[in-house]
Amino acid sequence: MNRRDLLILSTSAAIAWPPPAGAEQKAMPVIGFLSSFSPPPNLGDLGGSPFRQGLSEAGFVEGRNVAFEYRWAEGHYDRLPALAADLVRRKVDLIATNGGTPPALAAKSATSTIPIVFTHVSDPVGIGLIASLARPGGNLTGFSNITTELMQLPILKASTESEIDTAFLTLVQLQAGGLVVGAEPFFYSRREQLVALASRHAVPAIYDGREYAASGGLISYGPSLAILTGMDHQAGIYAGRILKGAKPADLPVQQPTTFELVVNLKTAKPLGLTIPPSILARADEVIE
């Protein structure tokens, strides 16, 4: 029965009565979209995003029965807490975070009641974002790219272009035998700089995505772009389920189960490295 109409049925007719004067209608739900990145040149391009596609499969289409509030940090992570707080003040019904760990942490700090769906967070349990993968607890759920759990190594931190340069100088001073670059949107945006510095200082490096190897990185190992895109799609489905009444605490945090290994032999040669045949045999792609 439509809430706006009172239907009185008889054997011969149906009479529809208008709603009482001043009766309130349920407002369209609003999703707050909190991103580490900059907005695309054309916001209309977001209409075909995997997240929106997943959301539409759950029955929600922007402008028809759901609205969005966008907040973009444009690579400045220090802006995220204020942007998250603004979404909370606007009383959005759900916050979807995009761009790794920083926006997810900012959203968690801003609210303990508004549902949050995160994507591409490497270690959500380790950083205290959720209680466990199977039972996240609280108001958060989402999708993890698991790359942090693949290797445990000493960490050098960098959040600006100049700090990346400084980190490589530290590697040289430490005479490090190799480098693992974490799965981080900022690093991805600076992949040309990272690959160039690794080459200049002759530091063998492994990265989390094929795009690094294609840019001249030695090795990449992590979820493929198709898998990551699929996670964004599933995040949209999760968001739709939550808008329909599901609780984030009851939706398990999901992780990829397949990974892509790419080896760049053109980069290995000037480093004087011989990639073992066993590695090459397992590689999904070898760049020669």
Side-chain angles (χ1 to χ4, degrees):
M1 179 180 293
N2 192 313
R3 295 181 182 177
R4 297 177 58 191
D5 300 324
L6 174 63
L7 302 181
I8 300 179
L9 304 179
S10 70
T11 58
S12 60
I15 303 175
W17 295 85
E24 293 185 0
Q25 301 180 28
K26 178 175 174 56
M28 184 182 295
V30 178
I31 294 177
F33 189 83
L34 181 63
S35 176
S36 299
F37 301 115
S38 298
N42 180 8
L43 283 177
D45 294 340
L46 291 172
S49 70
F51 179 86
R52 284 166 172 263
Q53 291 172 2
L55 192 63
S56 69
E57 290 180 17
F60 292 92
V61 178
E62 184 178 17
R64 183 185 303 170
N65 58 358
V66 71
F68 277 80
E69 285 276 351
Y70 296 99
R71 297 295 181 271
W72 308 92
E74 299 180 316
H76 299 278
Y77 292 168
D78 57 327
R79 298 178 183 174
L80 288 167
L83 295 175
D86 185 48
L87 290 174
V88 173
R89 282 193 298 270
R90 292 180 179 270
K91 298 181 180 180
V92 299
D93 296 276
L94 180 144
I95 297 176
T97 70
N98 174 259
T101 300
L105 288 174
K108 178 180 173 66
S109 297
T111 178
S112 61
T113 56
I114 297 175
I116 299 167
V117 177
F118 58 80
T119 56
H120 311 304
V121 173
S122 296
D123 187 13
V125 176
I127 62 174
L129 200 61
I130 57 173
S132 71
L133 298 177
R135 302 288 294 180
N139 60 319
L140 292 93
T141 187
F143 296 80
S144 169
N145 56 9
I146 206 174
T147 51
T148 298
E149 298 178 17
L150 296 178
M151 301 179 186
Q152 295 295 325
L153 300 170
I155 297 173
L156 292 175
K157 296 182 179 180
S159 59
T160 66
E161 183 177 345
S162 61
E163 288 180 355
I164 290 176
D165 291 329
T166 301
F168 269 88
L169 291 176
T170 302
L171 286 174
V172 173
Q173 293 170 359
L174 293 174
Q175 297 182 333
L179 171 67
V180 176
V181 177
E184 167 59 46
F186 172 68
F187 293 156
Y188 182 85
S189 70
R190 301 302 308 171
R191 60 187 180 277
E192 300 289 346
Q193 178 190 6
L194 287 162
V195 167
L197 285 169
S199 175
R200 182 185 311 164
H201 295 291
V203 177
I206 183 170
Y207 311 87
D208 73 298
R210 180 193 178 279
E211 292 76 19
Y212 288 94
S215 297
L218 178 62
I219 293 176
S220 67
Y221 183 63
S224 68
L225 182 60
I227 293 294
L228 296 177
T229 300
M231 291 167 61
D232 290 335
H233 179 265
Q234 291 296 319
I237 294 176
Y238 262 28
R241 291 176 62 183
I242 291 170
L243 290 178
K244 289 180 177 179
K247 296 180 180 180
D250 296 331
L251 298 176
V253 173
Q254 299 189 37
Q255 296 177 307
T257 57
T258 58
F259 301 90
E260 182 179 55
L261 175 63
V262 181
V263 179
N264 192 323
L265 291 181
K266 291 192 294 186
T267 300
K269 186 174 181 179
L271 291 172
L273 297 176
T274 300
I275 307 298
S278 59
I279 297 295
L280 295 176
R282 294 176 58 188
D284 297 276
E285 181 181 357
V286 177
I287 299 174
E288 299 184 80

